[in-house]
Amino acid sequence: MDLDYTQQQRAFRVEAREWLEANVPAQALQSMDTEQGFAAHREWETKLNEGGWAMVSWPVEYGGRGVDLIEWLIFEEEYYRAGAPGRVNQNGIFLLGPTLMEFGSDEQKARFLPPMAAGIDVWAQGWSEPNAGSDMAAIRTTAFRDGDHYVVNGQKTWCSRAVWADWIFCIFRTDPDSERHRGLSFMLVPLDAEGVQVRAIEQLDGETGFAEVFFDNVRVPVDQLLGEEGGGWKVAMSTAGFERGLMLRSPARYQATARKLVALLRDNPEAAQRDPTLGDRVIRGWMQAEAYALQTYRTASRIIGGGSIGAESSLNKIFWSEMDLAMHETAMALLGPRAELLPTARAAGDVGDWLDGFQFALAGPIYAGTNEIQRNIAAERLLGLPRG
Amino acid sequence: MDFHFNEEQLMFRDSVRALLERDCTAAVLRELWAGESGRSDGLWRGLAELGLTGLLLAEEHGGLGMAEVDLVLALEESGRACLPEPLVETVLAAAPLLETLAAGGGSAASVAGKWLPRVAAGEARLALEHPANPCVADAHVAELLLLLAGDGSLHAVERAHVELTRQPCNDAARRLFTVDWKPGDDSLLANAAGAMRLLDAAFDRAAFGCAAQQLGIGQKLIDLAVDYAGQREQFGRAIGSFQAVKHHLATAQVAVEFARPVVYRAACSLATGHADAGLHVSQAKAMADEAALLAARTSLQVHGGIGYTWEVDLHAWMKRAWALEMTWGGSAWHRGRLADAVLADVDNNPREGQLQLQGVN
Ligand SMILES: Cc1cc2nc3c(=O)[nH]c(=O)nc-3n(C[C@H](O)[C@H](O)[C@H](O)COP(=O)(O)OP(=O)(O)OC[C@H]3O[C@@H](n4cnc5c(N)ncnc54)[C@H](O)[C@@H]3O)c2cc1C
């Protein structure tokens, strides 16, 4: 065990820091759940890619730097330190990207990864359906083979940012007689294909972060099938592993929140006096963010050493979502009566974007598989408890 | 940056586990509770033969010259087995303290020269008095006691020269004492100022030791409950198939799993003399304590009524978790120490938390 960074890792950190310092937009970008904000974020993705920082752990040929996961974590730390914008293409680069590396043909990798890295193709995720949320194996949207195409009919829902995204990755039922996990296939569909209709759904904050996507005889070429026909569940579970595990939610994000929370406590001593438990809640959040970082480094070490991440990604999911929510609840309590004010309110002072963060943190225990489902998985697959 | 344990460290863990599985069973534990000393010279010697008691000591003192990071997995195992021996007190708290002192020469060097090889060989156990603890643990089996005089100076006294009063406590395996003794010039090891520094370092090592044991205790408490939940039936099926039960256990497992890397980091920081080692220890103690307490409460709940009986082994681990939570600084104390440092650090330097992983600068 050696928790020091190597010379090379330190040099990599410095390089990333210098580039970010020179290139991160001085002004925070508008929310990526608005049309203008989405466009601005896409521009930022392009810039990142030009600097070679779009997805550092990818092979060079796909727009990466071929560095290992430890260096990816270092990059993420610098990214959040620099206050860089959120990744509008997170579904693509963090979820579909790694899945393509695992299941894609060479042709598919060459076709989809570089434009993903460049922000040319921004991806949405199309798994949930109106009657298949937690019970994802209950999906009904069908795709039947017709020559060298699949023909898709049905509906997806809660698709983040699908209103402005270019592509969507989905699972469809390709075998009409199949049930549950069998007979599903993982496909890549352009959102401007004929027969695709996208309807925006406003989220809690009134912005159009969600979309429903309707498929009416949409023709998808067979070379946009990822993995095998009927083998979509396996591919999707791999993607879900990235989502719950270390990719989508890198620790730097929570360490940044923890630092902000400590500063908020320092700036609001009267709140901490009013409620002496607040100081302890802050330090608990700070410790958890540290623990999450250490655990992620540990997982990264294991993967670099040839290991893999399995059902323990469910523990991860529970941990980061509850930590994030707890930190934001603490921030709301520290802000006291000002917590209800939007940052644009005149009387808001420096409430910052805590309210925004709080509302989004509330979704953490729901998306990427609800925490109830994660607890089921952890209990059955990690602890070996009998199935219900 | 690499979180792997090496082959030797894993092999050492395996041999400690094998020994404890053989010689420290629940039946053995119960036998020891009933005995006067509560300790087993044979078990202690067995651990010494594996190198555990001298692991941190230099070769000149008969030790292996290794570090906390080589010890942490074995400590975890000792928690898993609910080992009653004074591993933390002797191996982590007192022996390295004596060794540090010996480096300065003088009378301490001769005390160390006499006792440390015996510790390494498993022929002697040590006890250490510390202001953080109201009693001295395992003073009755310690051949040599390191005690604090009223003026804050540190003394080494053989057991024959002290009078012990046992202070009954909740964990049937613990043996706690108050000690009556007289300091003399010949017993003096370090004056008050020197003693404080040594005691601080011993405190951090001991708190780390407890944290590592709590990992093993917490995991064992979960394992016991998982086992039971797979067998016990109500409403015609195993209670472990009920979601409420599953969710309790998954929640406890999250807490244990995320305390683990924090404890491993503390081991590394102690081993390398990291400037923030004490704070890393505090974080480890606070998180491992809480994980073990949650595992204890959960395991009891899952066991239901039978868990509330003496008959079932569960309480051995549960009570150990409670006891360790309170010794060498309670989790609240450790959170407080960390909070002071974190707040002060942000004051000075809002963008660079010095307590984070090394090399951020
Ligand atoms: C911010 C956000 C972004 C999202 N983005 C996307 C996206 O981009 N693409 C996409 O496909 N989906 C997305 N989702 C959808 C998300 O994956 C689903 O909401 C989630 O899987 C839960 O499904 P559901 O909403 O149908 O809830 P339901 O499945 O109806 O669950 C409702 C409640 O019942 C509980 N429950 C259900 N089944 C069980 C069970 N077996 N045991 C115990 N409790 C159970 C759940 O835990 C939950 O508390 C997003 C959701 C949110 C909130």
Side-chain angles (χ1 to χ4, degrees):
Chain A
M1 189 172 307
D2 176 4
L3 303 189
D4 265 330
Y5 294 104
T6 61
Q7 264 324 100
Q8 186 189 327
Q9 288 164 348
R10 285 171 199 274
F12 177 78
R13 181 188 292 284
V14 171
E15 195 189 343
R17 179 174 296 187
E18 285 173 355
W19 188 87
L20 287 162
E21 263 171 18
N23 289 281
V24 167
Q27 287 278 318
L29 306 184
Q30 221 180 310
S31 161
M32 63 173 91
D33 292 343
T34 60
E35 190 166 8
Q36 277 181 344
F38 190 91
H41 276 82
R42 190 198 283 274
E43 247 174 70
W44 166 245
E45 294 283 336
T46 308
K47 194 165 187 181
L48 266 177
N49 186 56
E50 283 162 9
W53 300 101
M55 200 53 206
V56 294
S57 59
W58 288 7
V60 179
E61 53 189 309
Y62 304 133
R65 287 177 186 245
V67 302
D68 69 17
L69 283 176
I70 301 288
E71 276 153 329
W72 172 67
L73 286 168
I74 291 171
F75 174 74
E76 288 283 299
E77 285 168 11
E78 292 306 319
Y79 194 84
Y80 281 94
R81 240 163 232 292
R87 303 296 298 268
V88 71
N89 205 11
Q90 47 182 287
N91 282 330
I93 52 181
F94 296 138
L95 306 184
L96 180 60
T99 312
L100 268 166
M101 307 266 186
E102 197 177 333
F103 292 96
S105 64
D106 287 345
E107 212 186 316
Q108 285 174 325
K109 288 187 236 180
R111 175 174 167 199
F112 292 109
L113 291 171
M116 187 188 294
I120 296 167
D121 291 343
V122 176
W123 286 80
Q125 180 187 55
W127 289 359
S128 306
E129 295 182 9
N131 291 310
S134 297
D135 187 10
M136 208 166 88
I139 66 153
R140 288 270 172 69
T141 300
T142 57
F144 67 84
R145 181 84 181 250
D146 176 25
D148 53 4
H149 281 75
Y150 290 97
V151 180
V152 182
N153 282 288
Q155 181 198 345
K156 294 285 172 186
T157 192
W158 316 135
C159 305
S160 295
R161 286 173 295 284
V163 187
W164 299 292
D166 308 286
W167 285 77
I168 187 164
F169 56 91
C170 299
I171 42 175
F172 301 127
R173 194 163 292 282
T174 37
D175 175 355
D177 300 325
S178 65
E179 281 182 33
R180 317 254 343 130
H181 314 85
R182 275 178 279 276
L184 301 174
S185 302
F186 195 116
M187 289 184 204
L188 313 175
V189 186
L191 280 163
D192 61 2
E194 208 178 312
V196 172
Q197 199 202 333
V198 181
R199 194 180 74 82
I201 304 174
E202 289 177 355
Q203 288 184 334
L204 221 51
D205 57 7
E207 287 177 0
T208 45
F210 276 154
E212 307 181 88
V213 181
F214 299 90
F215 300 86
D216 178 14
N217 283 321
V218 177
R219 295 182 71 79
V220 180
V222 290
D223 62 4
Q224 284 161 219
L225 174 77
L226 184 55
E228 288 173 18
E229 183 181 308
W233 184 260
K234 189 172 144 209
V235 185
M237 284 308 102
S238 159
T239 313
F242 295 119
E243 188 171 20
R244 292 163 196 162
L246 83 174
M247 272 297 183
L248 182 64
R249 292 291 172 253
S250 73
R253 171 194 184 112
Y254 304 111
Q255 290 183 296
T257 305
R259 276 199 299 272
K260 266 176 53 188
L261 190 59
V262 170
L264 191 68
L265 172 69
R266 185 200 52 200
D267 295 342
N268 291 278
E270 72 297 338
Q273 250 160 24
R274 202 172 54 232
D275 178 355
T277 65
L278 286 173
D280 201 47
R281 285 166 64 182
V282 169
I283 201 66
R284 280 171 192 275
W286 193 92
M287 282 199 291
Q288 289 194 322
E290 277 279 289
Y292 183 63
L294 291 164
Q295 181 76 315
T296 309
Y297 272 105
R298 184 165 163 242
T299 307
S301 289
R302 204 177 66 225
I303 293 174
I304 292 166
S308 59
I309 183 165
E312 65 268 43
S313 63
S314 292
L315 298 181
N316 248 30
K317 160 74 209 303
I318 297 166
F319 190 85
W320 60 248
S321 58
E322 295 187 348
M323 157 177 71
D324 195 34
L325 185 52
M327 286 198 287
H328 281 90
E329 283 172 341
T330 305
M332 299 304 278
L334 272 165
L335 287 170
R338 282 185 299 143
E340 70 168 313
L341 295 174
L342 295 176
T344 49
R346 279 229 185 147
D350 59 351
V351 296
D353 50 6
W354 284 110
L355 179 60
D356 232 22
F358 167 65
Q359 295 199 81
F360 185 63
L362 279 168
I366 300 173
Y367 66 81
T370 69
N371 285 11
E372 287 73 30
I373 298 297
Q374 302 314 315
R375 284 187 162 86
N376 290 349
I377 295 173
E380 286 165 16
R381 305 217 199 116
L382 280 174
L383 297 177
L385 285 161
R387 298 186 62 102
Chain B
M1 167 79 60
D2 179 14
F3 248 103
H4 283 101
F5 288 100
N6 63 33
E7 278 304 308
E8 292 91 80
Q9 288 162 340
L10 295 174
M11 273 165 53
F12 184 57
R13 174 200 60 192
D14 291 345
S15 42
V16 170
R17 177 182 294 184
L19 177 87
L20 293 174
E21 277 176 355
R22 197 188 65 205
D23 293 347
C24 189
T25 59
V28 169
L29 289 179
R30 283 178 183 269
E31 225 171 274
L32 289 174
W33 295 347
E36 178 58 27
S37 88
R39 300 292 171 262
S40 156
D41 290 344
L43 188 51
W44 186 252
R45 260 196 311 278
L47 294 170
E49 274 160 27
L50 293 179
L52 189 57
T53 59
L55 195 121
L56 295 182
L57 295 172
E59 281 168 32
E60 59 165 307
H61 290 126
L64 297 176
M66 290 164 88
E68 287 82 353
V69 66
D70 305 303
L71 186 61
V72 63
L73 294 174
L75 288 164
E76 219 176 306
E77 290 303 321
S78 71
R80 212 171 83 96
C82 213
L83 175 76
E85 297 293 327
L87 216 49
V88 167
E89 291 73 14
T90 301
V91 177
L92 282 159
L97 181 154
L98 207 48
E99 187 166 55
T100 310
L101 262 178
S107 69
S110 64
V111 174
K114 176 174 171 194
W115 289 100
L116 292 181
R118 294 187 193 176
V119 168
E123 291 156 9
R125 303 178 182 86
L126 305 177
L128 172 66
E129 183 175 13
H130 193 283
N133 302 323
C135 300
V136 181
D138 280 23
H140 66 312
V141 288
E143 280 76 6
L144 185 74
L145 292 83
L146 307 184
L147 299 168
L148 287 168
D151 66 353
S153 58
L154 185 68
H155 296 254
V157 191
E158 292 185 24
R159 194 173 64 235
H161 302 133
V162 304
E163 198 180 308
L164 300 177
T165 311
R166 183 163 167 199
Q167 308 291 327
C169 67
N170 193 31
D171 176 348
R174 301 254 301 162
R175 294 289 186 274
L176 302 175
F177 300 88
T178 48
V179 187
D180 274 325
W181 64 289
K182 291 226 161 32
D185 287 347
D186 55 338
S187 65
L188 181 73
L189 280 179
N191 63 23
M196 184 121 62
R197 202 170 31 79
L198 294 162
L199 288 171
D200 283 350
F203 172 86
D204 282 338
R205 283 191 308 270
F208 152 73
C210 293
Q213 289 186 323
Q214 291 285 45
L215 289 182
I217 292 168
Q219 192 62 59
K220 176 71 178 188
L221 282 161
I222 293 171
D223 293 348
L224 284 170
V226 167
D227 238 35
Y228 183 72
Q231 292 164 25
R232 170 73 174 169
E233 292 190 1
Q234 291 289 281
F235 303 99
R237 52 188 175 120
I239 57 167
S241 68
F242 294 120
Q243 203 165 47
V245 171
K246 282 184 185 157
H247 286 197
H248 275 318
L249 289 167
T251 302
Q253 189 65 50
V254 169
V256 171
E257 204 48 42
F258 280 83
R260 203 180 289 284
V262 183
V263 174
Y264 296 164
R265 177 190 46 186
C268 239
S269 299
L270 285 170
T272 58
H274 191 286
D276 289 328
L279 297 171
H280 293 165
V281 166
S282 276
Q283 182 169 352
K285 179 77 165 54
M287 290 193 76
D289 278 343
E290 294 211 341
L293 292 191
L294 178 64
R297 179 152 50 75
T298 302
S299 196
L300 174 61
Q301 186 68 21
V302 169
H303 277 81
I306 199 146
Y308 209 76
T309 66
W310 187 259
E311 178 188 323
V312 156
D313 297 327
L314 164 68
H315 64 94
W317 281 269
M318 185 160 68
K319 288 175 178 170
R320 185 66 51 78
W322 297 344
L324 293 187
E325 196 272 334
M326 288 173 277
T327 49
W328 300 105
S331 59
W333 186 90
H334 283 286
R335 280 201 308 280
R337 170 156 84 157
L338 193 63
D340 290 345
V342 168
L343 276 168
D345 187 49
V346 169
D347 257 343
N348 298 334
N349 195 354
R351 277 170 67 90
E352 300 282 346
Q354 278 180 13
L355 308 179
Q356 308 214 332
L357 291 168
Q358 317 167 23
V360 167
N361 296 306

